[in-house]
Amino acid sequence: MNKTKGTAPETQKTSKSALDRMFKISERGSTVGTEIRGGIVTFFSMVYILVLNPIILSGPDSTGAYLGGGTEPNTVAIAAGTALIAGIMTILMGVAANFPLAMAAGLGLNSMVAFTIVQIPGMTWADGMGIIVLEGIVIVLLVLTGLREAIFRAVPHYLRTAISVGIGLFITLIGLANAGLVRKGEGTPLTFGVNGSVSTWPLIVFVAALVLTIILMVREVKGAILYGIMGGTVLAFITEAIFKLGPGGPDNPGGWGLTVPALTGSPVQAPDFSTFGEFSIVGPVQKIGILAVVVLAFTVMLADFFDTMGTMVAVGEAGNLLDEDGNPPKTREILLVDSIGAIAGGIGGISSNTSFVESSTGVADGARTGLASVTTGVVFLLATFLAPLFAMVPNEAAAPALVAVGFLMMQQVTDIDWKDQSVAIPAFMTVAFMPFAYSITVGIGVGFITYVIMQTVTGRIRKVHPLMWVVAVLFVVYFLIEPINRLLGVI
């Protein structure tokens, strides 16, 4: 009996030591508790994808059919598939790359499938997902041949920094828009609050949660972002219970209610994976021809390719995980797992999976290793059964985390030499176009093209890496893809 009692702590210590060695937790100045907490923070900052992906993929294809089968949208199946693929790929990222980067269905990529590809006459959801699988295969080959990593390393360090700063502003805008503090105005592209003021309870909840998060950050409270999310959620439910808010309700003159979903039925439900296997590689070739398939796959590939590059640099910079050349550890493994995510997303019928910049919320909360990703992935797997509970985190509670991380990423702007216009102009264009065009890929593309132009007109053309020329030309094609498609008869 005494022997058993005496060996328990030793066994526990050995177990922790093995985990520490596997993920290099102590080496990176972290702890198991910090990694788990950071992984949970990342999950809650990106849990919105379990709501948005089903909404985006819920429409009919060109034939009138819905994803997952049936005569109406099967959002339950899409949500379950989204959570499962995100969980598997995020765990793989943590184990294979030991990097605190989470994956899920990519916003923008899913819109491209839903609103462009499957709306081409004759194209079905299976055909659209088949193109995603093809795109994923191509990116995997680029990684295995070393070309994807070579392109990444060809990008100047200051442009990588600009990408991180731009993403910071981008996710800040996402947070403000999700909360409703910034929205489309009447006669203006954007406006503040409701009629220029914080006049609704939802906005008050968001502001209170943001102030709480900021105070905790300034006081250097570990877990500040997670506590801010939790505090905002509790406040949202209390406000909802007291004032019985609803869109256009008497206590909500702004006409915009709290996004606190009602819990209907059992909080535990068996997942529906009926979207799995709904893909076809042969179908799109037969319907629109090989050339059109190549153009569509190329378009999706460019968006997927550079979003990940910017995201992993931003996350690595936020966690001080980049080497002296600005490269994250195990760059090739990160890119390979991310590339496999496209294939997995297509096979799962829920669109290409890609790295999420919201991973920086967990990093800001202290995450430094792949254990955080494993934690995020496990929670995603649980979400396949507990989707009703996880979906109850309102936008007003999650949005402050994105704004806080945007501030942290913005601090890197001082690393750019703003006095050298050949450096500052491409950096500025990168930073500006991400939030203003609402696209990470567009920001990177505009920045790359501007960089090549600046180096050429200032007599530094020889300093431009050959791969940067290739990528800049590809981005020109990407921005002209619609007239090219018209020329080829695709649209």
Side-chain angles (χ1 to χ4, degrees):
M1 189 71 175
N2 290 338
K3 183 178 180 181
T4 303
K5 288 183 177 179
T7 56
E10 184 178 347
T11 303
Q12 186 178 11
K13 183 178 179 180
T14 303
S15 176
K16 286 184 177 180
S17 179
L19 194 66
D20 193 304
R21 289 196 302 271
M22 178 179 180
F23 291 104
K24 300 181 179 179
I25 298 173
S26 298
E27 182 179 324
R28 296 187 183 179
S30 185
T31 65
V32 172
T34 299
E35 295 301 307
I36 293 175
R37 187 184 65 220
I40 294 173
V41 167
T42 294
F43 171 80
F44 278 109
S45 70
M46 59 188 289
V47 69
Y48 67 85
I49 195 62
L50 299 184
V51 177
L52 290 185
N53 202 42
I55 291 175
I56 292 171
L57 302 181
S58 63
D61 58 28
S62 68
T63 68
Y66 290 93
L67 181 61
T71 57
E72 59 184 19
N74 192 348
T75 55
V76 173
I78 300 173
T82 301
L84 182 63
I85 297 297
I88 293 173
M89 294 311 305
T90 302
I91 290 173
L92 181 60
M93 179 68 77
V95 173
N98 192 24
F99 198 66
L101 197 61
M103 297 181 63
L107 289 173
L109 298 172
N110 52 10
S111 298
M112 199 176 299
V113 174
F115 305 131
T116 301
I117 297 177
V118 303
Q119 300 306 319
I120 297 172
M123 292 286 280
T124 66
W125 280 108
D127 298 330
M129 295 304 168
I131 288 178
I132 292 296
V133 172
L134 286 172
E135 173 256 336
I137 292 173
V138 172
I139 293 187
V140 167
L141 293 176
L142 290 176
V143 173
L144 294 178
T145 57
L147 183 58
R148 190 175 187 183
E149 186 175 355
I151 293 175
F152 167 72
R153 295 183 184 279
V155 179
H157 179 69
Y158 71 85
L159 270 185
R160 299 187 202 173
T161 301
I163 290 170
S164 297
V165 174
I167 290 177
L169 290 179
F170 178 68
I171 65 174
T172 298
L173 180 58
I174 291 176
L176 296 174
N178 284 351
L181 192 63
V182 170
R183 62 181 68 195
K184 185 176 181 180
E186 296 182 5
T188 59
L190 295 175
T191 189
F192 175 79
V194 177
N195 299 322
S197 66
V198 182
S199 58
T200 65
W201 281 109
L203 295 183
I204 292 174
V205 169
F206 164 75
V207 171
L210 179 60
V211 170
L212 173 62
T213 302
I214 292 173
I215 291 174
L216 294 176
M217 289 173 61
V218 171
R219 300 295 299 176
E220 298 183 354
V221 175
K222 290 189 178 297
I225 294 176
L226 177 59
Y227 296 146
I229 293 173
M230 294 171 62
T233 301
V234 171
L235 180 58
F237 275 90
I238 291 175
T239 306
E240 172 72 19
I242 294 176
F243 296 99
K244 304 296 182 183
L245 301 178
D251 294 308
N252 184 24
W256 186 68
L258 279 166
T259 56
V260 179
L263 180 61
T264 58
S266 171
V268 181
Q269 299 177 358
D272 176 2
F273 297 132
S274 57
T275 63
F276 270 65
E278 191 171 344
F279 73 99
S280 172
I281 295 178
V282 178
V285 176
Q286 294 176 333
K287 294 171 183 174
I288 61 176
I290 184 66
L291 185 58
V293 169
V294 170
V295 171
L296 289 173
F298 169 75
T299 304
V300 177
M301 185 192 73
L302 272 185
D304 203 356
F305 192 107
F306 288 100
D307 265 4
T308 299
M309 187 187 77
T311 299
M312 74 175 184
V313 171
V315 172
E317 188 110 35
N320 195 27
L321 297 173
L322 305 181
D323 61 21
E324 62 275 9
D325 297 320
N327 303 315
K330 294 191 173 182
T331 297
R332 186 169 186 176
E333 286 84 350
I334 295 172
L335 295 176
L336 181 59
V337 174
D338 181 86
S339 303
I340 294 173
I343 300 175
I347 292 175
I350 46 85
S351 185
S352 178
N353 267 227
T354 188
S355 302
F356 261 55
V357 71
E358 284 84 355
S359 305
S360 53
T361 59
V363 172
D365 205 60
R368 295 294 181 271
T369 76
L371 181 57
S373 296
V374 172
T375 301
T376 304
V378 169
V379 182
F380 264 119
L381 294 181
L382 292 175
T384 62
F385 296 93
L386 302 172
L389 288 179
F390 286 118
M392 293 180 72
V393 176
N395 285 335
E396 296 82 12
L402 299 180
V403 177
V405 172
F407 157 72
L408 295 175
M409 297 175 70
M410 186 68 187
Q411 291 178 306
Q412 303 165 29
V413 74
T414 56
D415 294 337
I416 300 172
D417 184 3
W418 294 102
K419 295 182 180 179
D420 183 346
Q421 292 190 356
S422 66
V423 168
I425 292 177
F428 169 75
M429 298 294 278
T430 302
V431 171
F433 271 85
M434 283 190 192
F436 295 154
Y438 209 76
S439 170
I440 294 175
T441 301
V442 168
I444 294 175
V446 171
F448 281 18
I449 294 171
T450 307
Y451 162 75
V452 170
I453 294 174
M454 289 294 98
Q455 295 303 304
T456 300
V457 299
T458 56
R460 305 174 187 175
I461 190 170
R462 293 184 180 179
K463 293 185 178 181
V464 180
H465 196 287
L467 286 176
M468 287 297 292
W469 280 102
V470 173
V471 172
V473 170
L474 290 178
F475 266 119
V476 171
V477 174
Y478 175 77
F479 291 133
L480 296 175
I481 198 66
E482 187 171 342
I484 292 175
N485 283 340
R486 286 201 183 96
L487 184 64
L488 296 175
V490 176
I491 58 175

